[in-house]
Amino acid sequence: MDTSEHKIISKEAFANLRENFRREGKTVVLCHGVFDLLHYGHIEHLREAKAQGDVLVVSVTAARFVNKGPGRPYFNDAQRLSFLSELDCVDYVLLSEAVTVHDIVRCVQPDIYVKGQEYANAASDVTGNIGPEQAIVEQYGGRIYFTQGEVYSSTKLLNNFFGALPEAVVQMSRGLREKYGADVAEQARRIVDDFAKLNVLVVGDIIIDDYVFCKVQGLTTKDAAMSTRFDFRERYAGGALAIARHLANFAGHVTLLSMMGMEQDIADDIVAVMPPVDCRIVQDEHFVTPVKRRYLKRHAIRQQYEKLFSVNHLLDIDGMRQVDYRNFYRNLEEMLPQYDLVVVCDYGHGLLTQQAIDMLEKHARFLAVNCQANSSNYGLNVITKYHRADAFVLDERELHMAVGQSMDEEETLLRRVATGLGSSYAWVTLGASGALGIHGAEATELPAATIHVKDTVGAGDAFYSLAMLAAATDAPVDLATLLANIAGAIKTNVVGNARPVAKVDLLKFLATVLNV
């Protein structure tokens, strides 16, 4: 076996070596990172680290825990471990299979933990990990050391020379850096930090997404129907539940007001997944909790999911007439004046009657509206049933339905709807092409932040969540659109609504996109 291959070892194997080094009086040094593209800055960093002790251990974040955005890391785990093992100054290389390096630090118990000088100011670390990492190092009698060499960037090299980002995104980032300066990422981060000042009320249809994963076997011999083999099933909190979870990772406080049926298993699931969202869900025996069961197959090579068909359990018109909405209305009227931002999630599934809409328009301080068209309400759930919206998001199809035609340019149509609703901010999402936003006389069209997609369900909800927070804090429309696009891109790489967009993931991807 090649000598360099002996350097790549497991945590368990290194733990056995650690006591030997301690008995021999050797100083163990630890470096950690993604090391997605090994460059001169890394070499200088590692050489300086090795000079601090006798044994240099380098840990590498496993690909599935790298949060620099879709398509990263560019190089896989084996490649990055191999690169590092070839360096003479490196003695051992470990794979870190967690979001944080805490387990590695506990295993290695370094005498010296080495970080780049960009981490010397803990306030600039968007992950917030440097403090806890230092505390663990000191538990074992170690100390932290910051190297002094010039800071280089793998991300910048990959973005500019390896096509890690779509060319349109690179050009967009250069334009934003030219407009706002080199610290545009920091300016955008301050906008995101301001979201914490908001007290948010979400009002809308909750949806339970049942995903049934299966393998297509072919067609049945008797009637040529599709035949599939069951693989596994997962249940996700969708609709207003998903939007509230996105918002809760950014806003100061989020409350959800909605209705559901009497299904106890669904109520239990909601209680389990929704903290820290304050849920005020009115139950009624005649209300049908929307459940959308989708059957999917997975493309093995592309790791993308294709939906085969869906079965929806929804409230019909006759059922709506039997629902007692009075308790919902009382809660709505009482709660609306208490919130800085009211986010409406109207999927047309029986919650938002005309009486509810009238209350929203009358009492909300800042009213955000998303009125979605889907297979069950197509042509019936149009945003023009509202007369007021301070900000809104539509997709292209919903925009065309709102104005009754598709001949004019999207900006012209968007402004027409915004004028009718008295909106200060408005967006239309353009699928793989990105999004167009307007604010006053300004208009901005930005490309989608990624071309790597696993599942598009819920991407619009993630976009909507961040766009409305930005609108409520009066953010520049181009930076608001960028943040919303990034949220949508992160969501497209999560199957279903398995987890909401996290603040740290958004900020890390933001830094990646703007590093050109």
Side-chain angles (χ1 to χ4, degrees):
M1 183 181 291
D2 187 274
T3 304
S4 62
E5 294 182 7
H6 286 291
K7 296 180 179 182
I8 303 172
I9 63 173
S10 66
K11 288 191 300 181
E12 294 74 19
F14 186 83
N16 293 330
L17 296 173
R18 184 64 183 89
E19 279 307 309
N20 294 334
F21 296 141
R22 187 173 282 113
R23 283 194 297 269
E24 294 167 1
K26 292 184 177 179
T27 300
V28 175
V29 181
L30 173 65
C31 292
H32 173 76
V34 175
F35 299 100
D36 198 7
L37 177 64
L38 206 60
H39 54 66
Y40 178 76
H42 287 141
I43 304 298
E44 289 296 293
H45 175 75
L46 295 172
R47 283 175 177 168
E48 187 174 346
K50 180 59 181 284
Q52 308 309 309
D54 305 301
V55 179
L56 176 58
V57 182
V58 181
S59 60
V60 179
T61 303
R64 69 180 185 275
F65 299 107
V66 173
N67 58 0
K68 292 179 179 287
R72 298 289 304 277
Y74 191 88
F75 294 99
N76 64 34
D77 293 344
Q79 290 169 327
R80 290 178 292 131
L81 291 170
S82 179
F83 295 161
L84 290 161
S85 70
E86 294 292 340
L87 298 177
D88 291 340
C89 62
V90 174
D91 296 297
Y92 296 98
V93 186
L94 284 68
L95 187 66
S96 175
E97 298 187 85
V99 174
T100 69
V101 72
H102 298 173
D103 285 351
I104 292 289
V105 174
R106 293 188 178 98
C107 167
V108 174
Q109 299 177 23
D111 299 295
I112 302 173
Y113 181 46
V114 175
K115 298 291 286 184
Q117 61 174 297
E118 66 270 28
Y119 291 94
N121 179 9
S124 64
D125 175 23
V126 298
T127 67
N129 287 331
I130 192 66
E133 290 170 7
Q134 183 172 354
I136 298 171
V137 170
E138 292 174 351
Q139 283 178 12
Y140 293 98
R143 62 184 176 85
I144 196 164
Y145 174 86
F146 298 101
T147 54
Q148 301 302 309
E150 185 176 350
V151 176
Y152 295 82
S153 171
S154 296
T155 295
K156 188 170 186 176
L157 292 169
L158 288 166
N159 287 348
N160 284 289
F161 302 108
F162 284 74
L165 289 176
E167 181 58 29
V169 176
V170 173
Q171 295 303 321
M172 170 205 71
S173 298
R174 288 173 179 162
L176 290 174
R177 288 175 67 89
E178 183 177 340
K179 178 178 179 181
Y180 290 100
D183 68 338
V184 59
E186 180 57 32
Q187 294 177 51
R189 180 183 174 181
R190 288 196 292 270
I191 291 171
V192 174
D193 288 341
D194 281 345
F195 298 162
K197 301 173 183 177
L198 294 173
N199 189 19
V200 180
L201 174 65
V202 178
V203 182
D205 303 286
I206 66 174
I207 298 172
I208 303 302
D209 291 318
D210 267 350
Y211 273 39
V212 180
F213 298 87
C214 50
K215 294 180 174 66
V216 177
Q217 296 177 303
L219 299 177
T220 57
T221 55
K222 293 185 178 180
D223 50 15
M226 182 184 295
S227 173
T228 65
R229 184 176 67 199
F230 174 83
D231 194 358
F232 64 98
R233 173 185 172 188
E234 292 185 349
R235 174 178 279 184
Y236 308 119
L241 296 169
I243 288 174
R245 292 178 76 200
H246 293 315
L247 292 167
N249 281 337
F250 298 88
H253 184 265
V254 175
T255 303
L256 169 64
L257 176 62
S258 188
M259 290 187 70
M260 64 175 290
M262 306 303 293
E263 305 92 341
Q264 190 57 48
D265 61 326
I266 293 177
D268 291 343
D269 286 345
I270 291 173
V271 169
V273 302
M274 289 309 292
V277 176
D278 179 11
C279 290
R280 311 284 183 89
I281 300 178
V282 177
Q283 291 185 272
D284 182 86
E285 61 180 339
H286 297 293
F287 199 91
V288 176
T289 307
V291 177
K292 298 185 177 182
R293 183 168 294 117
R294 297 177 173 92
Y295 293 79
L296 306 91
K297 71 172 184 177
R298 180 176 181 267
H299 291 279
I301 297 177
R302 288 183 290 163
Q303 297 188 4
Q304 186 175 346
Y305 293 85
E306 178 182 339
K307 295 168 188 66
L308 303 174
F309 62 94
S310 65
V311 179
N312 300 327
H313 300 261
L314 302 170
L315 183 67
D316 59 22
I317 298 298
D318 291 336
M320 288 178 63
R321 296 190 179 106
Q322 300 179 59
V323 174
D324 184 355
Y325 289 95
R326 287 175 296 179
N327 196 14
F328 172 70
Y329 293 151
R330 281 194 295 269
N331 279 277
L332 183 61
E333 188 168 26
E334 176 187 336
M335 295 168 69
L336 280 171
Q338 303 174 29
Y339 293 85
D340 306 308
L341 167 63
V342 177
V343 177
V344 175
C345 316
D346 188 345
Y347 297 87
H349 294 325
L351 177 72
L352 293 167
T353 62
Q354 188 58 54
Q355 185 172 341
I357 291 172
D358 290 343
M359 290 181 183
L360 288 162
E361 293 177 345
K362 180 178 180 180
H363 298 295
R365 292 188 211 167
F366 190 100
L367 183 61
V369 176
N370 183 218
C371 192
Q372 291 197 18
N374 52 59
S375 59
S376 66
N377 67 28
Y378 192 74
L380 301 175
N381 200 47
V382 184
I383 197 170
T384 49
K385 70 181 184 181
Y386 291 82
H387 298 95
R388 175 199 162 201
D390 298 297
F392 68 86
V393 174
L394 299 172
D395 65 22
E396 285 183 280
R397 180 179 59 173
E398 292 157 354
L399 176 62
H400 294 158
M401 284 194 299
V403 296
Q405 60 103 340
S406 58
M407 298 296 293
D408 291 333
E409 297 290 334
E410 273 78 6
E411 183 182 341
T412 301
L413 301 179
L414 190 61
R415 289 192 180 280
R416 188 177 304 170
V417 177
T419 299
L421 295 173
S423 307
S424 56
Y425 286 85
W427 282 271
V428 57
T429 56
L430 306 171
S433 298
L436 167 68
I438 60 171
H439 175 45
E442 187 176 357
T444 185
E445 184 172 344
L446 300 184
T450 186
I451 56 174
H452 301 277
V453 175
K454 288 183 179 179
D455 184 9
T456 59
V457 169
D461 294 338
F463 181 101
Y464 175 54
S465 301
L466 269 293
M468 296 306 98
L469 289 170
T473 52
D474 201 28
V477 68
D478 47 6
L479 295 184
T481 307
L482 173 63
L483 293 170
N485 268 350
I486 288 175
I490 292 171
K491 174 58 200 69
T492 61
N493 281 267
V494 176
V495 177
N497 284 294
R499 62 180 183 273
V501 174
K503 180 178 177 180
V504 63
D505 291 342
L506 183 129
L507 292 176
K508 292 281 282 186
F509 192 16
L510 173 70
T512 295
V513 167
L514 292 174
N515 194 358
V516 296

